[in-house]
Amino acid sequence: AQKVTQAQTEISVVEKEDVTLDCVYETRDTTYYLFWYKQPPSGELVFLIRRNSFDEQNEISGRYSWNFQKSTSSFNFTITASQVVDSAVYFCALKTSSTGANSKLTFGKGITLSVRP
Amino acid sequence: GAGVSQSPRYKVTKRGQDVALRCDPISGHVSLYWYRQALGQGPEFLTYFNYEAQQDKSGLPNDRFSAERPEGSISTLTIQRTEQRDSAMYRCASSLTTGRPSGANVLTFGAGSRLTVL
């Protein structure tokens, strides 16, 4: 069985602070993919990043960075110099190949991030 | 279309009524998924299609729920005899299956259909 745990439920920061969103996953598969999605107040789900299990390089995209550590089964997401527009619910998700060619995404419960001006 | 389109965006119905939710995926996307998201929770898988074939319906909660994609494009999720516990956001997503390992395919989600059963 696969599982994604986002232990933080709500985080509130002041604009320009850095914030890290934690994600811990469980799977017995050696091949898997990790994702982060953003759900802004408007409600849509927006894809942010995909990482496969063979690539542990950290990634940076502008103010966003991701730290993938297989040793701790974590895929944490850091926003540097947060902005009000970053306020959203952020979901971490896991996809393995164990359930077939187009296996389903398993989502965590999400972290609500509020950035105050 | 440019994105995944879902309709209606909001649906309020009375307990016992049937509802049909529609999803129009991105043009050319082979795979189509339905998810349900309760308030304060992450999306949960319901079912998915490759072309018109329903590949996995293990997430459908009971036989009141069904989905179809008859021509491999637009899909309809139908809930019969709705109950209050069916109230949720129903999300559709599509992905382009290419020669890459399919687990890598990114799902593009629609804005969702929010169902409220009174």
Side-chain angles (χ1 to χ4, degrees):
Chain A
Q2 53 198 49
K3 184 179 177 182
V4 175
T5 301
Q6 296 182 264
Q8 304 152 309
T9 53
E10 294 186 22
I11 300 175
S12 182
V13 299
V14 177
E15 209 170 17
K16 296 185 184 175
E17 283 185 24
D18 298 347
V19 58
T20 295
L21 311 180
D22 298 335
C23 173
V24 174
Y25 61 92
E26 294 176 32
T27 179
R28 293 182 180 176
D29 284 11
T30 54
T31 301
Y32 52 88
Y33 300 85
L34 295 162
F35 300 77
W36 277 93
Y37 280 83
K38 173 181 179 180
Q39 181 181 316
S42 52
E44 70 269 31
L45 268 178
V46 179
F47 165 75
L48 294 178
I49 190 171
R50 172 192 60 223
R51 176 52 49 88
N52 74 58
S53 52
F54 299 111
D55 181 4
E56 286 195 71
Q57 268 194 324
N58 291 328
E59 182 156 341
I60 299 174
S61 176
R63 296 183 298 106
Y64 295 171
S65 62
W66 290 269
N67 182 3
F68 176 30
Q69 293 199 338
K70 288 180 76 170
S71 60
T72 55
S73 297
S74 66
F75 186 45
N76 297 338
F77 174 27
T78 297
I79 302 174
T80 304
S82 60
Q83 299 177 1
V84 173
V85 293
D86 296 326
S87 297
V89 182
Y90 290 87
F91 292 98
C92 180
L94 168 69
K95 199 175 191 194
T96 72
S97 56
S98 64
T99 53
N102 274 302
S103 58
K104 50 186 178 270
L105 268 179
T106 298
F107 285 85
K109 291 189 175 182
I111 302 169
T112 300
L113 174 65
S114 299
V115 181
R116 308 186 307 276
Chain B
V4 179
S5 178
Q6 291 188 247
S7 61
R9 288 292 310 278
Y10 303 92
K11 177 70 177 179
V12 180
T13 191
K14 292 184 178 178
R15 187 163 49 103
Q17 298 293 308
D18 297 350
V19 296
L21 307 177
R22 174 190 162 116
C23 173
D24 192 351
I26 292 173
S27 179
H29 275 198
V30 169
S31 301
L32 184 146
Y33 301 76
W34 283 100
Y35 281 77
R36 178 169 71 172
Q37 185 177 0
L39 204 59
Q41 302 292 316
E44 293 184 340
F45 172 81
L46 294 176
T47 184
Y48 89 88
F49 295 80
N50 277 346
Y51 299 102
E52 72 282 0
Q54 192 170 20
Q55 299 291 324
D56 184 346
K57 55 182 181 179
S58 62
L60 295 177
N62 51 60
D63 60 8
R64 294 187 298 105
F65 287 73
S66 62
E68 62 174 10
R69 193 186 185 198
E71 296 177 1
S73 178
I74 292 170
S75 176
T76 302
L77 176 69
T78 301
I79 309 172
Q80 295 179 311
R81 305 180 302 281
T82 52
E83 301 177 4
Q84 286 185 326
R85 59 179 171 157
D86 300 333
S87 297
M89 173 75 83
Y90 288 82
R91 294 192 183 273
C92 176
S94 67
S95 73
L96 179 64
T97 300
T98 68
R100 301 185 300 180
S102 58
N105 290 328
V106 173
L107 272 61
T108 301
F109 284 84
S113 292
R114 181 166 295 286
L115 174 65
T116 302
V117 182
L118 302 176

